[in-house]
Amino acid sequence: PDFAILPDMAADVFTAPLAKPAHVGADWLESAQTAYTAEDDAVWNDLFARQMEVLPGRACSAFLAGLEKLDLARGGVPEFGVLSEELGALTGWSVVPVPMLIPDHVFFWHLANRRFPAGNFIRTRETFDYIEEPDVFHDVFGHVPMLTDPTYADYMQEYGRAGWKAMRYNRLKALGALYWYTVEFGLIEEAEGVRAYGAGILSGPTEARFAVEAQTPNRIMLNVDRVMRTDYVISDLQPTYFVIESFADLYRQTVERDFDRLYRSLPAGFTYANSAVIDVDNVLHRGTQEYHLRGGRG
Ligand code: HBI
Ligand code: FE
């Protein structure tokens, strides 16, 4: 490994410790949920209603089932304590309120212990359509329903464990690409067709149509090694979406990998541009990569 990112990580620490690591400051743990105003609840309800106009027929069945199981349609910003009890009973996950993006190693440490860090704040009317930092709507509406699926819940914990190993090999960017193209922007094949499971798609106003139906982006079957070599754009529609056959297949491709060998074989930077289609790809749809000012990159 090139260098140890964190001062007190013991040389042989390849899995996230269960106890709180010394270098994780206490303040990451206790940022309570803020008291929400009536306007906050109204923003949540309006965001929820807008997504539910577009998601049926485009969101994967595990997501829609998760919304039901957690009764997220009850109205108003969900209270994390109640949410964690219901989620805990289903898959052993809980939701931890955080005030902002947290350092990768803290984020991974939570996931490795089946805790999902979720923004404790909600966006304003001014940032209704796009937010820089994940707020409670992106995290709780976009990510949390997926954690009610047992296989996906296991994948997320393995992802957290893989994160600590990535730090040993200085390959956080590579692992971040895997997160990006699965947890944030992943598509899955279902009987009726391709559906979205990525939170970035499920919580955004336009991406559900674009990712599932548009001619513009590539849709390529997921290969973990290839995805970890692929660059990604943070604040825009994706030129390429990766598709899995099932969460069981995603889990197999991840857990059964020898990540030590994989990290050692990966270069420090990315190899493939985010719009690339390469010879090993199993291509479902080769995108036109045409963007129209109205709904595209504008
Ligand atoms: N912090 N609160 C929060 N939410 C995230 O989704 C998040 C994060 N820190 C890092 C991160 N995501 C990504 O870099 C992951 O790839 C680790
Ligand atoms: Fe997210």
Side-chain angles (χ1 to χ4, degrees):
D2 316 339
F3 63 100
I5 282 185
L6 305 168
D8 68 347
M9 275 182 87
D12 61 344
V13 172
F14 278 82
T15 54
L18 295 179
K20 182 173 73 66
H23 51 267
V24 171
D27 56 332
W28 294 120
L29 296 173
E30 272 86 44
S31 57
Q33 255 193 300
T34 49
Y36 298 105
T37 64
E39 172 62 0
D40 290 335
D41 285 337
V43 167
W44 169 281
N45 294 339
D46 292 348
L47 285 165
F48 190 97
R50 183 171 68 172
Q51 290 311 106
M52 293 318 285
E53 281 167 21
V54 71
L55 291 184
R58 296 185 179 94
C60 71
S61 45
F63 174 81
L64 296 171
L67 284 182
E68 292 287 317
K69 289 173 189 170
L70 298 174
D71 186 22
L72 282 181
R74 77 181 65 156
V77 182
E79 203 279 315
F80 288 14
V82 171
L83 196 57
S84 293
E85 274 168 34
E86 294 166 349
L87 188 59
L90 290 167
T91 56
W93 276 78
S94 62
V95 181
V96 173
V98 291
M100 61 185 77
L101 277 175
I102 60 181
D104 282 2
H105 70 283
V106 181
F107 187 74
F108 292 139
W109 172 63
H110 280 307
L111 296 187
N113 290 284
R114 294 179 93 91
R115 288 190 302 269
F116 188 79
N120 64 356
F121 59 95
I122 191 160
R123 69 193 75 179
T124 60
R125 295 281 177 198
E126 291 67 38
T127 56
F128 196 79
D129 283 342
Y130 185 76
I131 39 157
E132 289 300 318
E133 303 230 340
D135 71 341
V136 64
F137 187 77
H138 169 85
D139 282 327
V140 171
F141 181 88
H143 284 285
V144 169
M146 289 304 305
L147 292 171
T148 63
D149 178 281
T151 309
Y152 184 85
D154 288 348
Y155 168 70
M156 285 293 276
Q157 180 173 29
E158 289 305 324
Y159 182 88
R161 288 180 173 146
W164 278 69
K165 192 167 281 191
M167 289 187 280
R168 310 300 314 154
Y169 290 97
N170 182 25
R171 289 296 177 269
L172 283 182
K173 283 295 282 175
L175 193 75
L178 178 61
Y179 189 84
W180 195 257
Y181 284 115
T182 56
V183 180
E184 292 298 351
F185 290 97
L187 298 177
I188 184 170
E189 280 189 324
E190 295 197 336
E192 306 79 11
V194 165
R195 295 290 182 268
Y197 70 92
I201 302 174
L202 296 167
S203 60
T206 59
E207 197 133 11
R209 283 195 178 86
F210 182 78
V212 172
E213 295 156 13
Q215 294 305 306
T216 301
N218 302 318
R219 293 181 190 89
I220 300 170
M221 293 311 289
L222 182 116
N223 167 306
V224 167
D225 189 298
R226 190 277 201 224
V227 163
M228 291 176 83
R229 299 167 189 269
T230 305
D231 198 358
Y232 56 94
V233 290
I234 297 283
S235 59
D236 213 326
L237 296 170
Q238 303 303 315
T240 298
Y241 295 93
F242 288 93
V243 185
I244 58 174
E245 293 167 18
S246 66
F247 296 124
D249 183 58
L250 174 61
Y251 182 83
R252 259 194 312 278
Q253 281 201 56
T254 309
V255 172
E256 286 168 8
R257 295 301 299 238
D258 170 355
F259 269 92
D260 298 83
R261 195 181 55 72
L262 180 56
Y263 288 140
R264 277 196 288 267
S265 69
L266 289 171
F270 289 127
T271 309
Y272 308 121
N274 53 41
S275 55
V277 176
I278 61 176
D279 54 346
V280 296
D281 283 342
N282 175 356
V283 181
L284 286 189
H285 170 73
R286 193 185 186 97
T288 62
Q289 297 303 337
E290 287 168 359
Y291 292 85
H292 308 293
L293 282 183
R294 178 175 44 79
R297 295 174 172 275

